[in-house]
Amino acid sequence: MARWLLKSEPDVFGYDDLVAAKREGWDGVRNYQARNFMREMAVGDLAIFYHSNATPPGVAGICKIVKGAEPDPTQFDPKSKYFDPKSSPDDPRWDWVTVAPKKRLRFISLDQLREMPELVECRLLARGNRLSVIPLTDDEFDAIVAAGS
DNA sequence: GCCAACGTTGGC
DNA sequence: GCCAACGTTGGC
């Protein structure tokens, strides 16, 4: 089973929202590298739920992949902010996966994450990183869970 | 194929 | 609000 990290802005959709929704399609990913990672996700994979653009930013919980990649319907919806006029149902460009909450963690701030030796190579902490879907090693994942448990 | 311009992300 | 980093677009 693979391990991942997913970023979301809590003002838009935070961990509490996922708990309330029970499960949710991870919409709005419009970056090819992130999309390709989502295509590698399998049902049962676990992902760290990270709050970006927050005060402070950090980890809020764990979620699980409950449905693999399939076309993100918001790309076809002209009223959606994620609408992509260059995409079509015949040849969809963007996928989503469906996630469900697994376990809330004690909040781990970005500052705390930066102090963890297990994460020195984690892409999340790399300078200028903007990727919203990031693969984690088992060690990285386990270290984050331990820090928030 | 190059690269300048532009838009977005995300920490601060 | 600022700005660094990076991805995408489009003219050539």
Side-chain angles (χ1 to χ4, degrees):
Chain A
M1 286 300 171
R3 299 291 181 250
W4 310 92
L5 181 143
L6 295 169
K7 286 185 197 171
S8 185
E9 300 189 20
D11 290 347
V12 178
F13 188 81
Y15 193 77
D16 289 342
D17 297 307
L18 181 60
V19 170
K22 306 275 207 306
R23 57 189 278 153
E24 191 75 19
W26 200 262
D27 63 7
V29 173
R30 296 293 180 269
N31 169 285
Y32 288 105
Q33 200 174 0
R35 180 204 67 183
N36 293 342
F37 284 137
M38 287 201 298
R39 288 180 174 178
E40 294 178 25
M41 291 179 183
V43 171
D45 284 2
L46 298 179
I48 296 296
F49 194 117
Y50 177 85
H51 283 175
S52 63
N53 250 324
T55 45
V59 166
I62 309 171
C63 56
K64 62 188 169 191
I65 311 303
V66 296
K67 196 171 186 197
E70 58 188 349
D72 173 354
T74 62
Q75 71 194 301
F76 309 127
D77 178 4
K79 294 189 294 294
S80 169
K81 66 184 273 201
Y82 301 125
F83 176 62
D84 182 351
K86 294 179 184 163
S87 188
S88 76
D90 293 340
D91 186 19
R93 229 179 235 221
W94 307 112
D95 284 2
W96 73 7
V97 295
T98 303
V99 304
K102 165 83 173 171
K103 181 173 183 263
R104 186 186 302 276
L105 295 175
R106 185 155 40 79
F107 184 78
I108 313 163
S109 70
L110 178 59
D111 286 346
Q112 291 173 276
L113 294 170
R114 288 194 192 284
E115 289 172 6
M116 292 171 55
E118 297 90 342
L119 299 183
V120 286
E121 293 184 16
C122 183
R123 184 143 187 197
L124 174 70
L125 305 182
R127 180 181 174 81
N129 167 63
R130 287 167 34 190
L131 196 59
S132 63
V133 179
I134 298 174
L136 298 179
T137 66
D138 286 356
D139 285 349
E140 290 167 344
F141 180 88
D142 292 345
I144 294 170
V145 172
S149 298

